[in-house]
mmCIF file of all heavy atoms in Angstrom:
data_model
loop_
_atom_site.group_PDB
_atom_site.id
_atom_site.type_symbol
_atom_site.label_atom_id
_atom_site.label_comp_id
_atom_site.label_asym_id
_atom_site.label_seq_id
_atom_site.Cartn_x
_atom_site.Cartn_y
_atom_site.Cartn_z
ATOM 1 N N TYR A 152 -159.909 127.210 182.692
ATOM 2 C CA TYR A 152 -158.630 126.949 183.273
ATOM 3 C C TYR A 152 -157.479 127.296 182.315
ATOM 4 O O TYR A 152 -157.606 127.071 181.080
ATOM 5 C CB TYR A 152 -158.535 125.491 183.627
ATOM 6 C CG TYR A 152 -159.283 125.043 184.842
ATOM 7 C CD1 TYR A 152 -160.544 124.479 184.733
ATOM 8 C CD2 TYR A 152 -158.734 125.222 186.140
ATOM 9 C CE1 TYR A 152 -161.285 124.073 185.866
ATOM 10 C CE2 TYR A 152 -159.474 124.877 187.210
ATOM 11 C CZ TYR A 152 -160.700 124.292 187.109
ATOM 12 O OH TYR A 152 -161.433 123.868 188.214
ATOM 13 N N ASN A 153 -156.413 127.801 182.869
ATOM 14 C CA ASN A 153 -155.092 127.886 182.126
ATOM 15 C C ASN A 153 -154.461 126.520 182.131
ATOM 16 O O ASN A 153 -154.391 125.896 183.229
ATOM 17 C CB ASN A 153 -154.235 128.929 182.805
ATOM 18 C CG ASN A 153 -154.710 130.333 182.595
ATOM 19 O OD1 ASN A 153 -155.024 130.813 181.482
ATOM 20 N ND2 ASN A 153 -154.795 131.069 183.739
ATOM 21 N N LEU A 154 -153.976 126.074 181.012
ATOM 22 C CA LEU A 154 -153.243 124.815 180.902
ATOM 23 C C LEU A 154 -151.768 125.036 180.736
ATOM 24 O O LEU A 154 -151.348 126.025 180.085
ATOM 25 C CB LEU A 154 -153.764 123.978 179.717
ATOM 26 C CG LEU A 154 -155.242 123.632 179.710
ATOM 27 C CD1 LEU A 154 -155.589 122.740 178.551
ATOM 28 C CD2 LEU A 154 -155.705 123.016 181.050
ATOM 29 N N GLU A 155 -150.931 124.203 181.399
ATOM 30 C CA GLU A 155 -149.518 124.255 181.265
ATOM 31 C C GLU A 155 -149.072 123.694 179.902
ATOM 32 O O GLU A 155 -149.348 122.542 179.614
ATOM 33 C CB GLU A 155 -148.858 123.493 182.435
ATOM 34 C CG GLU A 155 -147.342 123.698 182.526
ATOM 35 C CD GLU A 155 -147.013 125.162 182.910
ATOM 36 O OE1 GLU A 155 -147.575 125.713 183.816
ATOM 37 O OE2 GLU A 155 -146.067 125.713 182.258
ATOM 38 N N PHE A 156 -148.340 124.507 179.122
ATOM 39 C CA PHE A 156 -147.973 124.021 177.809
ATOM 40 C C PHE A 156 -147.179 122.748 177.817
ATOM 41 O O PHE A 156 -147.331 121.846 176.997
ATOM 42 C CB PHE A 156 -147.113 125.158 177.107
ATOM 43 C CG PHE A 156 -146.633 124.761 175.773
ATOM 44 C CD1 PHE A 156 -147.502 124.482 174.716
ATOM 45 C CD2 PHE A 156 -145.273 124.726 175.518
ATOM 46 C CE1 PHE A 156 -147.022 124.152 173.451
ATOM 47 C CE2 PHE A 156 -144.790 124.383 174.255
ATOM 48 C CZ PHE A 156 -145.662 124.086 173.192
ATOM 49 N N THR A 157 -146.256 122.606 178.812
ATOM 50 C CA THR A 157 -145.408 121.383 178.863
ATOM 51 C C THR A 157 -146.184 120.177 179.372
ATOM 52 O O THR A 157 -145.584 119.068 179.397
ATOM 53 C CB THR A 157 -144.203 121.650 179.773
ATOM 54 O OG1 THR A 157 -144.610 122.228 181.006
ATOM 55 C CG2 THR A 157 -143.221 122.590 179.084
ATOM 56 N N ASN A 158 -147.439 120.342 179.776
ATOM 57 C CA ASN A 158 -148.249 119.181 180.134
ATOM 58 C C ASN A 158 -149.041 118.681 178.974
ATOM 59 O O ASN A 158 -149.847 117.735 179.124
ATOM 60 C CB ASN A 158 -149.181 119.512 181.337
ATOM 61 C CG ASN A 158 -148.421 119.624 182.632
ATOM 62 O OD1 ASN A 158 -147.283 119.225 182.770
ATOM 63 N ND2 ASN A 158 -149.003 120.304 183.602
ATOM 64 N N LEU A 159 -148.972 119.359 177.876
ATOM 65 C CA LEU A 159 -149.821 118.975 176.675
ATOM 66 C C LEU A 159 -149.005 118.221 175.628
ATOM 67 O O LEU A 159 -147.797 118.530 175.428
ATOM 68 C CB LEU A 159 -150.379 120.290 176.024
ATOM 69 C CG LEU A 159 -151.216 121.199 176.957
ATOM 70 C CD1 LEU A 159 -151.726 122.361 176.171
ATOM 71 C CD2 LEU A 159 -152.382 120.360 177.518
ATOM 72 N N SER A 160 -149.629 117.284 175.008
ATOM 73 C CA SER A 160 -149.001 116.524 173.914
ATOM 74 C C SER A 160 -149.855 116.673 172.691
ATOM 75 O O SER A 160 -151.060 116.485 172.721
ATOM 76 C CB SER A 160 -148.938 115.034 174.312
ATOM 77 O OG SER A 160 -148.170 114.277 173.368
ATOM 78 N N PHE A 161 -149.237 117.003 171.590
ATOM 79 C CA PHE A 161 -149.939 117.414 170.325
ATOM 80 C C PHE A 161 -149.762 116.390 169.255
ATOM 81 O O PHE A 161 -148.664 115.819 169.098
ATOM 82 C CB PHE A 161 -149.427 118.779 169.861
ATOM 83 C CG PHE A 161 -149.564 119.847 170.870
ATOM 84 C CD1 PHE A 161 -148.544 120.131 171.789
ATOM 85 C CD2 PHE A 161 -150.707 120.605 170.909
ATOM 86 C CE1 PHE A 161 -148.690 121.131 172.691
ATOM 87 C CE2 PHE A 161 -150.847 121.635 171.868
ATOM 88 C CZ PHE A 161 -149.857 121.900 172.768
ATOM 89 N N PRO A 162 -150.814 116.138 168.476
ATOM 90 C CA PRO A 162 -150.643 115.141 167.345
ATOM 91 C C PRO A 162 -149.745 115.759 166.261
ATOM 92 O O PRO A 162 -149.747 116.950 166.042
ATOM 93 C CB PRO A 162 -152.076 115.011 166.842
ATOM 94 C CG PRO A 162 -152.767 116.267 167.245
ATOM 95 C CD PRO A 162 -152.147 116.705 168.521
ATOM 96 N N ALA A 163 -149.025 114.863 165.607
ATOM 97 C CA ALA A 163 -148.135 115.341 164.490
ATOM 98 C C ALA A 163 -149.016 115.720 163.317
ATOM 99 O O ALA A 163 -149.917 115.030 162.920
ATOM 100 C CB ALA A 163 -147.164 114.197 164.078
ATOM 101 N N ILE A 164 -148.767 116.932 162.764
ATOM 102 C CA ILE A 164 -149.552 117.430 161.634
ATOM 103 C C ILE A 164 -148.733 117.182 160.369
ATOM 104 O O ILE A 164 -147.748 117.949 160.097
ATOM 105 C CB ILE A 164 -149.853 118.915 161.809
ATOM 106 C CG1 ILE A 164 -150.620 119.142 163.120
ATOM 107 C CG2 ILE A 164 -150.681 119.428 160.629
ATOM 108 C CD1 ILE A 164 -151.988 118.485 163.163
#
Side-chain angles (χ1 to χ4, degrees):
Y152 284 98
N153 291 308
L154 303 184
E155 189 68 44
F156 178 63
T157 49
N158 288 343
L159 303 179
S160 186
F161 302 89
I164 304 297

